[in-house]
Amino acid sequence: MLFVSRRARELGTENAFVVLSEVEKLQAEGKRVVSFCIGQPDMPTPDHIRLAGIRAITEGKTGYTASPGIPALRKAVADYFSRTRGVSVDPGEVVVGCGGKPFIGYTILSVIDPGEGHEVIYPNPGFPIYHAQIAAHGAVPVPLDLRESKGHNFDLDDLRRKVTKKTRLLILNSPHNPTGGALSRAEMEEIARIVAPYEDLWIYADEVYCALVYDAAFQSIASIPGMRDRTVIADSASKTYSMTGWRIGYAANAKLAPVFTRWVTNTDSCPPHPNQYAALEALTASQEPSEKMREIFRQRRDRIVAGLNRIPGFRCLKPGGAFYVWPNVTEACRMVGAADSEEFRKMLLYEAGVAVLADIHFGTAVAGEGQHVRFSYASSFEAIDEGLERIAGLMKKRTK
Ligand code: PLP
């Protein structure tokens, strides 16, 4: 029989896409669904960026480029990283890829050897690709549980216990998907103290939501003394400039840049040529559109958090960043007789026409943390109000 490898058969995925197909099926049947599933800004890519992409196409910039990207874009990313992270980044350290996502796999592939018991610590709940890639490449996944009582961050003592001589990589994601939590500078300083004695330990700083921080300045662990050389700064144009489909992301690390370049040569050859010009425009032109977008998201966050906290059974912290909220629905599940967040999610979808993701889509249950669902508030104020109203109606109708 034709063989499919175990790693392929067991490869994890983003279950958000499973829920999306459920939503699309309902919509095709003519049902109106208010969706809070999608992790991308609902605003179009700003005009000047789109025009830069079109100009590049009409000028014939459509062939292969160097694998790490065109020099002008690598320089623009280096300047942007230097400006926003408070560290000095050289263009030679920067590699441009097809989105931020590929750098997760490239980094794991570059710092672990399969079967050696090399451990990778990652946030749980977290972006599901972390676990999928750690397992696929033969490293040992070590989940670092996030706790509501810590503002949806992890307990630093827990990290201290989990770091060992076998740890090769610590994945940090601030601001965080799915909770919206952000690490403070003090927490980053403590993380730096914890990892300092471990010379083989790399940090993957997934900072794709860095432009969406609401109540404080964005902080990168790369700026903490001693962390710069061991940190991969990873970011992308997707969320900051509403460019998810353009597939442009970037990472910086002096030692790994040549390695990443080889991975890009081995996989995509290079990021899409005209799109690199669009990203160049995004990074070098006025940042006003991105700042305006952040302000809109901040207002939506305040609206959805206040609204959720008014619904009986919901308890929602106000997250510091990204465009997600992660309300605790343990009591709501109890009130409507749902066994867990997944059953509750289905009730919201099929009875109230509101689409959210459940905590099982982001990892394994954390003992003592109860049930959670994720709302992406990358949707209009009207959709937020309508969604909240529908949920309140369902709770009223269903409460036993
Ligand atoms: N990292 C996190 C935490 C994300 O939530 C996402 C997308 O949702 C990505 C990385 C990948 O983003 P992209 O590949 O579009 O840059």
Side-chain angles (χ1 to χ4, degrees):
M1 200 165 68
L2 294 171
F3 177 74
V4 175
S5 70
R6 181 151 50 93
R7 78 170 69 191
R9 279 182 275 125
E10 292 177 359
L11 183 62
T13 186
E14 271 190 76
N15 283 321
F17 292 105
V18 177
V19 178
L20 277 179
S21 63
E22 283 182 49
V23 172
E24 279 163 14
K25 191 164 171 281
L26 285 172
Q27 285 168 336
E29 290 165 7
K31 307 226 167 66
R32 204 182 120 60
V33 178
V34 183
S35 179
F36 297 102
C37 286
I38 301 182
Q40 67 179 348
D42 53 319
M43 302 84 171
T45 306
D47 285 349
H48 66 291
I49 300 174
R50 287 194 274 177
L51 287 172
I54 293 167
R55 206 179 312 121
I57 293 171
T58 53
E59 286 172 2
K61 291 167 174 154
T62 54
Y64 293 126
T65 69
S67 288
I70 56 171
L73 180 55
R74 294 176 78 195
K75 179 175 183 316
V77 173
D79 291 349
Y80 159 76
F81 277 162
S82 305
R83 191 168 75 230
T84 50
R85 272 72 176 177
V87 290
S88 166
V89 176
D90 183 83
E93 293 174 64
V94 173
V95 176
V96 182
C98 296
K101 193 185 257 179
F103 289 102
I104 299 167
Y106 295 157
T107 302
I108 295 166
L109 282 163
S110 307
V111 306
I112 70 101
D113 275 322
E116 293 294 323
H118 291 159
E119 296 171 0
V120 180
I121 302 178
Y122 67 102
N124 177 51
F127 188 44
I129 299 307
Y130 301 146
H131 179 270
Q133 290 289 297
I134 296 165
H137 299 313
V140 180
V142 180
L144 185 59
D145 293 341
L146 306 188
R147 307 211 166 263
E148 204 169 324
S149 57
K150 300 275 167 196
H152 293 316
N153 283 326
F154 47 85
D155 184 334
L156 289 160
D157 286 331
D158 195 21
L159 175 64
R160 202 171 276 115
R161 280 190 293 273
K162 287 191 168 151
V163 175
T164 72
K165 286 200 169 66
K166 289 270 187 192
T167 309
R168 288 293 174 276
L169 181 65
L170 166 63
I171 298 177
L172 297 176
N173 174 212
S174 177
H176 182 260
N177 177 9
T179 67
L183 289 163
S184 67
R185 188 159 181 95
E187 284 166 322
M188 288 183 183
E189 283 166 352
E190 189 55 27
I191 294 168
R193 274 192 285 275
I194 293 170
V195 303
Y198 297 88
E199 287 176 1
D200 299 326
L201 189 151
W202 290 93
I203 294 175
Y204 185 82
D206 188 338
E207 299 177 343
V208 300
Y209 297 101
C210 65
L212 296 169
V213 177
Y214 305 115
D215 307 316
F218 168 70
Q219 300 288 337
S220 173
I221 188 127
S223 70
I224 309 287
M227 294 298 104
R228 174 81 172 79
D229 291 350
R230 61 164 87 208
T231 299
V232 174
I233 304 172
D235 193 355
S236 90
S238 292
K239 322 283 175 174
T240 305
Y241 303 110
S242 197
M243 289 179 70
T244 48
W246 296 77
R247 306 313 300 138
I248 296 289
Y250 12 82
N253 181 272
K255 188 161 181 173
L256 292 181
V259 186
F260 290 157
T261 300
R262 261 179 286 144
W263 285 121
V264 177
T265 306
N266 272 267
T267 53
D268 298 308
S269 295
C270 64
H273 192 164
N275 303 14
Q276 293 188 54
Y277 281 91
L280 177 63
E281 171 71 16
L283 286 163
T284 53
S286 160
Q287 298 300 292
E288 213 181 295
S290 172
E291 282 155 17
K292 272 196 186 140
M293 197 164 80
R294 176 179 52 219
E295 178 51 24
I296 293 170
F297 279 130
R298 191 187 62 72
Q299 290 173 18
R300 289 180 183 172
R301 173 199 65 167
D302 292 351
R303 181 99 136 229
I304 198 164
V305 169
L308 286 170
N309 280 321
R310 276 195 295 270
I311 300 177
F314 280 69
R315 187 177 73 218
C316 187
L317 294 185
K318 191 189 267 193
F323 38 62
Y324 307 113
V325 286
W326 186 246
N328 186 317
V329 293
T330 315
E331 179 60 12
C333 289
R334 194 196 59 74
M335 288 164 69
V336 299
D340 55 22
S341 59
E342 175 63 0
E343 201 175 309
F344 186 58
R345 174 192 79 76
K346 288 194 173 142
M347 224 179 245
L348 289 178
L349 180 59
Y350 291 101
E351 295 183 32
V354 175
V356 299
L357 299 179
D359 43 19
I360 54 157
H361 300 129
F362 298 96
T364 50
V366 179
E369 288 296 295
Q371 309 293 319
H372 294 80
V373 290
R374 188 194 82 171
F375 287 71
S376 159
Y377 51 88
S379 44
S380 66
F381 286 112
E382 294 73 29
I384 292 172
D385 290 347
E386 185 183 350
L388 291 170
E389 215 175 285
R390 287 177 177 217
I391 298 171
L394 176 90
M395 293 304 297
K396 207 164 161 189
K397 191 178 97 198
R398 273 285 203 150
T399 295
K400 302 200 162 138

